Amino acid sequence: MTVFNRFVPTEEHPSPPAAKMAERGSEEQFRSLIGNIPGAVYRRECFEPWTMRFISDHIEVLAGYPASEFMQENLRPFESIICPDDREHVSGVVREALSRGGSFSLEYRLIHANGSSRWVAEHGRGVADPGGRPLWIDGVILDLSAQREAEQLGDRAEVRHGRLSGHDILTCLPDRILIRDRLQQMLLRCQRDHFLIAAFLVDLDNFRSVNDSLGQQAGDELLKAVAARFSSVLRASDTVGRPGGDEFAILAEGLSLSAGPELLAERLLDAMKEPFRVEGFDDIPLSITASIGIATNDRDEPDDLLRDAAIALCQAKAQGRNCHVRFKPEMKTAAMERLELEADLREALQENQFFILYQPIFELDSVGVCGVEALLRWRHPVRGIVDPESFMPVLEETGLIAPVGSWLLKQACRRAAAWHRLGHHLTMSINISTRQLGAENLVDQVHGALAATALEPRSLVINVAEQSLMNDMDTMVRRLRELKALGVLVAVDDLGAGYSALARLRQVPIDALKIDRSFVAAMADSPEAISSIHTLVQLGRTLGIETLAEGIEQGWQLASLQDEHCRFGQGSLFSQPIAPEALEAILTLEPVVPLRGHLPRQSRPASTIRRRNC
Ligand code: C2E
Ligand code: MG
């Protein structure tokens, strides 16, 4: 087929320029002219879907489809290869040019048959009949990808040489200051023209683990790859920047207020779904998700919008990550309180506001003390004594649990060693959170604390919540084995409190099961609670593991637990968590029962057990 045959003359205009050239017998001249233009020359309809009457072969280089496909009605409308995000822009510019009978120039992305996108520049002109009725558009589409790449390389080089201020060195994206400037401009425009703008803060979930496991270079490459993915799904008019760390900021305007921001956020999350292959780590596909906080206009200051997006981002993280949340005013109070709590906790560590209470653990048959559990408390300068349940999640999320946990470990070991020296051979139980258990240095820390205090390893019991075992099982089991290799004991805490790692217990090297206090509390009116306790005690027996019941408050609960042959327990019936001095007073009255010694079972009426409180 010759170039000329691809013209589709209309009734009104049977002789477009190329056809006329053909009639003049200058086909070769025309072919050479079109062939030498580094772009796709076309004549197309004036309205969407921009059906082509003619387009030169170069379109196949740009889009991956043969030119003929674009010229058959409905087979491949040109609109279908314009990036969906850019269609509105293209249409707006072209319509505007046609309405004033002028020419247009625009830049947008074409979607190639292989799925990639490339930047093109289009220069066109509407052709009208003598009455001014638009007939068609003549124009050319030029490839811009090389130019864009050169620009980017130029930018990077400039950034590398410190010449391009306002850009992040790693990704060459706008940095915090430039993002703020651009947002300021957008806010001014939006106040004038009344359109919607949205700020998105995107934080990668668990990015730290990429750096930790593969090194910082892999982390850097991943950040660059994520930046490229985000850029590929955004419109040319949107801004994507990197304010710092593993956080990206996206500024978009002209979205519809109802669902527009959410649709864009979904697109960003979708863009993360395909695993990343990063330079230097080609054989390791990296999967990562992101959390997104969204804030829309109605603010005068860029900082207010960014702060609200950050609050919504925190909410998205709290909701389980890999999701997006739009800011609502009521989030602000909770976020402020949370920020205050975080700041207070940082201070608490420096100001020595943490202290430890010890709750005695009893051998149920003999009702003798055999150990203690160290429980963290916070003496807040205004709020008074704060229980761990109100601040432990924040310690865990902020990573403050690492220094606090390490401090508690040393303190507890020192205390236990001192009691041993006084002849009270108690076991010391400490609670280890999921994050602490995941930390590579935990074993070294435990080893260090034991060595520094000369506490024998078998006197230290590490309590691990059942929930922790539901996470990365392989890491957890490895960590528990490493701890056991030091000679310390391991207990699974909060057993049955809503998680079910029971099926996995055989894989875990443990010495004791701690039955959650909700079972003990429910014993009065729930036969299921009694049968659950029975099952857990039997499971312990089968696996050769001791059982301990928490939250024993009533004499009859103790009697029932004794009947179930649950060996150990703790609870307010015996003693609340108390200060070390109060515990020492108990120890002088009550001899310590050796943990693993054989003790004959005694049926001791509950009424004879003294209740001790601090
Ligand atoms: P847990 O390990 O299950 O600790 C037992 C909790 O039961 C303690 O609450 C204790 O005060 C409470 N308790 C004791 N006897 C009774 C009773 O008869 N009835 C009732 N209703 N409760 C009783 P606490 O001290 O508020 O600690 C709550 C949780 O905070 C602990 O649960 C533990 O998961 C966590 N925690 C405490 N200290 C630390 C710590 O140093 N590190 C870590 N990672 N977690 C800690
Ligand atoms: Mg515990």
Side-chain angles (χ1 to χ4, degrees), residues 44 46-50 79 87-104 106 134 137:
R44 64 171 154 93
C46 294
F47 301 102
E48 299 91 329
W50 315 121
E79 186 182 39
R87 281 179 200 164
E88 213 180 299
H89 175 58
V90 172
S91 156
V93 172
V94 174
R95 277 169 190 275
E96 196 266 336
L98 291 179
S99 70
R100 61 177 162 74
S103 57
F104 62 87
L106 46 75
I137 303 168

Side-chain angles (χ1 to χ4, degrees), residues 14-174:
S15 301
K20 279 191 181 140
M21 288 171 84
E23 282 159 20
R24 289 201 299 270
S26 52
E27 177 172 345
E28 283 312 312
Q29 200 184 342
F30 179 72
R31 190 199 298 271
S32 149
L33 176 68
I34 300 276
N36 282 331
I37 292 175
V41 177
Y42 70 81
R43 169 168 293 178
R44 64 171 154 93
E45 302 288 348
C46 294
F47 301 102
E48 299 91 329
W50 315 121
T51 306
M52 291 291 167
R53 294 186 184 184
F54 165 77
I55 189 156
S56 66
D57 288 334
H58 195 81
I59 190 64
E60 191 164 351
V61 177
L62 296 179
Y65 302 105
S68 56
E69 291 193 7
F70 294 98
M71 287 181 284
Q72 290 170 43
E73 197 80 34
N74 298 332
L75 177 59
R76 193 169 303 285
F78 188 70
E79 186 182 39
S80 69
I81 60 162
I82 298 178
C83 177
D85 285 342
D86 298 345
R87 281 179 200 164
E88 213 180 299
H89 175 58
V90 172
S91 156
V93 172
V94 174
R95 277 169 190 275
E96 196 266 336
L98 291 179
S99 70
R100 61 177 162 74
S103 57
F104 62 87
S105 291
L106 46 75
E107 292 179 5
Y108 59 90
R109 286 162 298 178
L110 281 187
I111 305 295
H112 193 273
N114 65 14
S116 68
S117 69
R118 73 168 62 201
W119 281 97
V120 292
E122 181 176 338
H123 305 281
R125 187 180 61 88
V127 178
D129 67 11
R133 197 165 54 101
L135 292 171
W136 60 72
I137 303 168
D138 284 339
V140 61
I141 302 166
L142 303 167
D143 190 356
L144 272 191
S145 44
Q147 191 182 325
R148 285 272 161 137
E149 220 164 88
E151 273 170 18
Q152 264 188 1
L153 284 173
D155 277 1
R156 281 198 196 123
E158 290 214 58
V159 169
R160 248 180 255 123
H161 294 107
R163 285 202 295 269
L164 203 64
S165 68
H167 285 79
D168 158 53
I169 301 221
L170 182 70
T171 57
C172 301
L173 294 176

Side-chain angles (χ1 to χ4, degrees), residues 373 375 431 463 493-494 514 550:
E373 178 172 6
L375 292 160
N431 295 288
N463 287 349
D493 210 348
D494 307 330
K514 294 189 76 172
E550 292 179 326

Side-chain angles (χ1 to χ4, degrees), residues 230-493:
F230 285 164
S231 302
S232 75
V233 296
L234 292 169
R235 286 191 300 197
S237 56
D238 299 336
T239 291
V240 53
R242 180 176 170 238
D246 58 350
E247 203 170 273
F248 292 87
I250 287 147
L251 311 175
E253 54 187 36
L255 301 167
S256 88
L257 181 61
S258 52
E262 278 71 18
L263 289 176
L264 200 159
E266 284 295 332
R267 222 160 57 222
L268 294 170
L269 293 182
D270 281 349
M272 306 283 290
K273 282 191 177 148
E274 178 83 7
F276 291 86
R277 291 198 181 264
V278 303
E279 220 177 297
F281 300 86
D282 303 333
D283 48 341
I284 312 171
L286 298 178
S287 294
I288 192 149
T289 58
S291 303
I292 306 179
I294 310 168
T296 49
N297 27 344
D298 297 337
R299 327 280 191 296
D300 293 334
E301 289 301 322
D303 287 343
D304 293 346
L305 201 66
L306 291 171
R307 182 208 54 218
D308 291 352
I311 291 172
L313 172 61
C314 285
Q315 190 79 18
K317 290 274 179 194
Q319 280 183 19
R321 297 153 194 238
N322 194 19
C323 64
H324 52 83
V325 168
R326 199 196 290 205
F327 173 80
K328 291 198 195 92
E330 55 269 29
M331 288 176 189
K332 206 147 135 193
T333 333
M336 288 307 185
E337 280 172 8
R338 155 79 207 236
L339 283 175
E340 213 170 281
L341 180 62
E342 210 177 301
D344 285 356
L345 279 170
R346 286 183 201 282
E347 207 172 283
L349 192 62
Q350 281 151 16
E351 302 290 322
N352 295 322
Q353 291 167 4
F354 291 116
F355 65 101
I356 307 172
L357 293 184
Y358 297 90
Q359 183 172 42
I361 294 171
F362 284 75
E363 216 263 0
L364 295 186
D365 275 348
S366 63
V367 198
V369 186
C370 56
V372 289
E373 178 172 6
L375 292 160
L376 187 63
R377 294 291 180 271
W378 176 20
R379 191 177 288 107
H380 189 279
V382 179
R383 291 161 63 191
I385 310 274
V386 189
D387 281 341
E389 263 150 12
S390 8
F391 64 84
M392 199 52 79
V394 184
L395 281 188
E396 182 79 354
E397 279 162 34
T398 52
L400 280 169
I401 190 70
V404 175
S406 149
W407 166 83
L408 182 131
L409 169 70
K410 282 185 220 145
Q411 286 289 112
C413 287
R414 194 171 300 142
R415 183 68 69 182
W419 283 332
H420 284 211
R421 284 196 293 278
L422 292 172
H424 309 305
H425 290 276
L426 297 167
T427 55
M428 173 62 73
S429 296
I430 61 160
N431 295 288
I432 292 288
S433 71
T434 310
R435 191 155 180 174
Q436 285 174 283
L437 194 61
E440 288 293 337
N441 63 356
L442 175 69
V443 181
D444 285 346
Q445 274 185 16
V446 172
H447 177 72
L450 292 171
T453 56
L455 181 69
E456 54 177 22
R458 286 194 77 72
S459 299
L460 184 66
V461 185
I462 305 277
N463 287 349
V464 179
E466 187 187 12
Q467 184 190 0
S468 301
L469 302 177
M470 300 300 288
N471 291 334
D472 178 358
M473 186 71 174
D474 291 346
T475 308
M476 297 306 166
V477 171
R478 180 162 46 84
R479 193 57 38 74
L480 293 181
R481 293 218 166 101
E482 288 164 359
L483 286 168
K484 294 273 308 156
L486 293 179
V488 302
L489 305 178
V490 171
V492 175
D493 210 348

